[in-house]
């Protein structure tokens, strides 16, 4: 009889364990479904947040570049406001002369430095009016 009681107690304990396992499995399944639902509902906003942060970083880089360009343009504006700078640029770039000054353009002249001086310095660009005349000449030849 003691043997039968022990068997019934063992079977009751086994049944209780089975119930607990089934009960925990159901709870675990519900918890897993809820966790998946939360993860899925947060995935899109998190992705958008990361994309917006990346865009903000790119815009900050563009802003820094634009600010540097503004500073360079302001410095150039300040230089162009200086009359001596404008005169110097007009003389070097446009080959202009001050009023009353005699200016000469030497065509095909040698600097006197020989071939070694010619190798060190790059060929000078022709004045703007020479380039203009050459382009007009070239346009007339195609007709």
């Amino acid at each position: 009889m003691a043997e039968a009681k022990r068997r019934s107690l063992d079977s009751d304990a086994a049944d209780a364990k089975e119930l607990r396992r089934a009960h925990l499995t159901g709870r675990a399944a519900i918890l897993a479904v809820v966790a998946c639902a939360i993860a899925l509902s947060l995935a899109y906003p998190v992705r958008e947040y990361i994309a917006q942060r990346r865009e903000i970083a790119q815009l900050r880089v563009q802003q820094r570049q634009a600010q540097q360009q503004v500073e360079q343009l302001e410095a150039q504006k300040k230089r162009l406001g200086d009359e001596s700078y404008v005169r110097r640029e007009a003389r070097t770039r446009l080959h202009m002369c001050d009023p009353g000054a005699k200016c000469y353009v030497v065509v095909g002249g040698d600097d006197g430095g020989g071939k070694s001086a010619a190798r060190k310095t790059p060929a000078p660009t022709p004045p703007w009016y020479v380039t203009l005349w050459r382009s007009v000449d070239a346009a007339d030849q195609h007709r």
Side-chain angles (χ1 to χ4, degrees):
M1 184 153 179
E3 186 74 29
K5 276 188 171 183
R6 193 178 326 150
R7 283 186 193 167
S8 76
L9 285 176
D10 287 340
S11 67
D12 287 342
D15 289 338
K17 283 184 182 180
E18 288 292 323
L19 283 174
R20 274 191 237 152
R21 283 187 192 158
H23 188 70
L24 290 177
T25 305
R27 283 185 184 172
I30 291 173
L31 181 64
V33 168
V34 169
C36 287
I38 290 172
L40 290 176
S41 67
L42 290 176
Y44 182 74
V46 168
R47 190 178 80 202
E48 288 298 313
Y49 174 77
I50 291 170
Q52 287 176 356
R53 297 304 297 175
R54 187 178 306 124
E55 185 179 358
I56 288 171
Q58 290 173 350
L59 289 174
R60 285 185 178 156
V61 168
Q62 288 177 357
Q63 181 184 18
R64 274 187 246 124
Q65 290 173 350
Q67 184 64 32
Q68 288 174 351
Q69 186 179 10
V70 165
E71 290 170 0
Q72 290 173 353
L73 290 173
E74 284 176 351
Q76 185 178 3
K77 179 182 174 185
K78 188 176 179 181
R79 280 192 312 249
L80 290 174
D82 184 19
E83 191 173 333
S84 64
Y85 176 78
V86 173
R87 285 178 184 257
R88 185 174 60 244
E89 288 297 310
R91 278 192 299 267
T92 58
R93 289 186 183 184
L94 303 176
H95 301 283
M96 296 181 77
C97 295
D98 289 329
K102 291 184 181 180
C103 294
Y104 299 98
V105 176
V106 179
V107 179
D110 190 16
D111 290 341
K115 292 183 180 179
S116 63
R119 287 184 197 154
K120 292 181 183 176
T121 59
T125 58
W128 64 272
Y129 50 85
V130 172
T131 307
L132 176 67
W133 187 250
R134 286 180 186 163
S135 67
V136 170
D137 246 357
D140 283 341
Q141 288 177 0
H142 292 292
R143 286 188 177 178

